[in-house]
């Protein structure tokens, strides 16, 4: 199954992609995680994108597309995958279409207020990438990942300034993809304003049981 998870920042794409990946046995491919990892390791790519990601702007299409193209050529992506955070622009979607056909686009819908509330309390594990929220989904021990014991941190782009910019960028550049995929009859809307479990139930309904 080849899936795209589409939606504003904070809609829960990353959390749900993790759950669906396990349940359906397909890898989660997150462009945001790839960029953050490159920034952490201070690679050439990391140096190029550090400021862009910190501001909440989009990395240029050409660079992002070639990265995804390489990732999708890896053997583990042969049996399907979840694209989490890609495509984010019409040119990215058009480029993807040239080399891969999707089965469905899961569209996470949510209000701006909830997005801001979620992102301003988000914490991420530095080691395994698991996602928490200081109020809604706290780790058992403060600052420590339940899954791997790694340290939790606040993403540098989870400041109010960057969150507001990311929402703006989403509306201008990414939201047009909703109609793009609706026209292709690939779009499956789900309400992601409630708990991850509730969202997972809806996703199971639209995707069907894992094969
Ligand atoms: P969120 O959905 O919470 O904004 P992501 O982890 O998906 O976070 O993305 C973090 C940042 O990585 C984005 O703000 C952007 O700078 C960059 N990025 C991720 N995916 C893409 C993409 N498909 N195209 C361009 N930039 C991207």
């Amino acid at each position: 199954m080849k899936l795209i998870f589409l939606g504003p920042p904070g809609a829960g794409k990353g959390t749900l992609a993790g759950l669906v990946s396990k349940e359906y046995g397909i890898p989660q491919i997150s462009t945001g995680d790839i960029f953050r990892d490159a920034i952490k390791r201070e690679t050439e790519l990391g140096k190029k994108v550090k400021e862009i990601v910190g501001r909440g702007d989009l990395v240029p299409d050409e660079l992002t597309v070639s990265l995804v193209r390489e990732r999708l050529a890896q053997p583990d992506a042969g049996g399907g995958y979840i694209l989490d955070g890609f495509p984010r622009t019409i040119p990215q979607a058009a480029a993807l279409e040239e080399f891969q056909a999707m089965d469905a686009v899961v569209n996470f819908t949510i209000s701006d207020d909830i997005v801001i509330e979620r992102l301003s309390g988000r914490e991420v594990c530095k080691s395994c990438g698991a996602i928490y929220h200081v109020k809604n989904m706290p780790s058992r021990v403060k600052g420590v990942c339940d899954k791997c014991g790694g340290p939790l941190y606040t993403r540098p782009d989870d400041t109010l300034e960057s969150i507001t910019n990311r929402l703006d960028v989403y509306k201008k550049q990414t939201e047009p993809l909703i109609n793009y995929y609706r026209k292709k009859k690939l779009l499956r809307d789900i309400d992601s304003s409630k708990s991850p479990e509730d969202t997972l139930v809806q996703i199971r309904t639209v995707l069907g049981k894992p094969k």
Side-chain angles (χ1 to χ4, degrees):
M1 197 156 8
K2 294 177 179 166
L3 305 172
I4 291 170
F5 279 12
L6 182 68
K13 301 184 300 288
T15 303
L16 268 296
L19 299 173
V20 172
S21 161
K22 239 196 248 152
E23 189 164 316
Y24 288 69
I26 48 178
Q28 165 188 9
I29 299 176
S30 158
T31 40
D33 284 349
I34 295 173
F35 291 137
R36 275 186 294 279
D37 181 62
I39 293 169
K40 190 169 79 185
R41 293 190 291 116
E42 299 180 342
T43 63
E44 277 311 303
L45 171 70
K47 286 180 202 151
K48 246 189 241 169
V49 304
K50 184 172 179 180
E51 280 187 24
I52 303 175
V53 172
R55 277 197 307 270
D57 286 334
L58 293 186
V59 174
D61 286 338
E62 222 169 289
L63 181 60
T64 308
V65 168
S66 70
L67 208 89
V68 171
R69 193 192 292 268
E70 264 173 43
R71 179 61 188 88
L72 295 186
Q74 301 286 313
D76 69 327
Y81 47 76
I82 305 163
L83 287 175
D84 159 21
F86 180 91
R88 254 176 156 92
T89 65
I90 298 273
Q92 289 182 10
L96 174 66
E97 211 169 76
E98 275 172 28
F99 64 98
Q100 295 274 311
M102 294 298 124
D103 294 304
V105 177
V106 179
N107 181 35
F108 289 65
T109 60
I110 189 161
S111 72
D112 288 0
D113 291 352
I114 304 184
V115 161
I116 292 167
E117 204 259 330
R118 280 187 187 173
L119 293 185
S120 29
R122 175 158 74 179
E123 290 184 321
V124 185
C125 173
K126 216 161 201 156
S127 311
C128 76
I131 302 165
Y132 300 88
H133 188 281
V134 286
K135 271 207 309 252
N136 308 338
M137 226 199 324
S139 55
R140 281 194 296 271
V141 179
K142 195 170 183 283
V144 180
C145 179
D146 291 352
K147 295 189 180 116
C148 76
L152 303 186
Y153 79 113
T154 300
R155 271 170 47 175
D157 61 342
D158 278 347
T159 59
L160 191 56
E161 195 185 3
S162 178
I163 293 169
T164 314
N165 186 43
R166 274 150 66 208
L167 263 173
D168 219 43
V169 168
Y170 169 77
K171 283 184 186 150
K172 289 203 186 95
Q173 310 211 51
T174 309
E175 218 166 46
L177 290 177
I178 294 179
N179 259 333
Y180 180 92
Y181 285 119
R182 205 186 294 284
K183 278 193 200 135
K184 294 181 189 296
K185 307 223 180 309
L186 288 174
L187 205 75
R188 312 281 181 269
D189 290 309
I190 55 142
D191 166 14
S192 59
S193 61
K194 299 196 188 77
S195 66
E197 294 73 27
D198 181 276
T199 310
L200 182 61
V201 169
Q202 293 179 64
I203 294 180
R204 278 192 197 118
T205 310
V206 299
L207 295 181
K209 286 225 157 45
K211 293 199 185 89

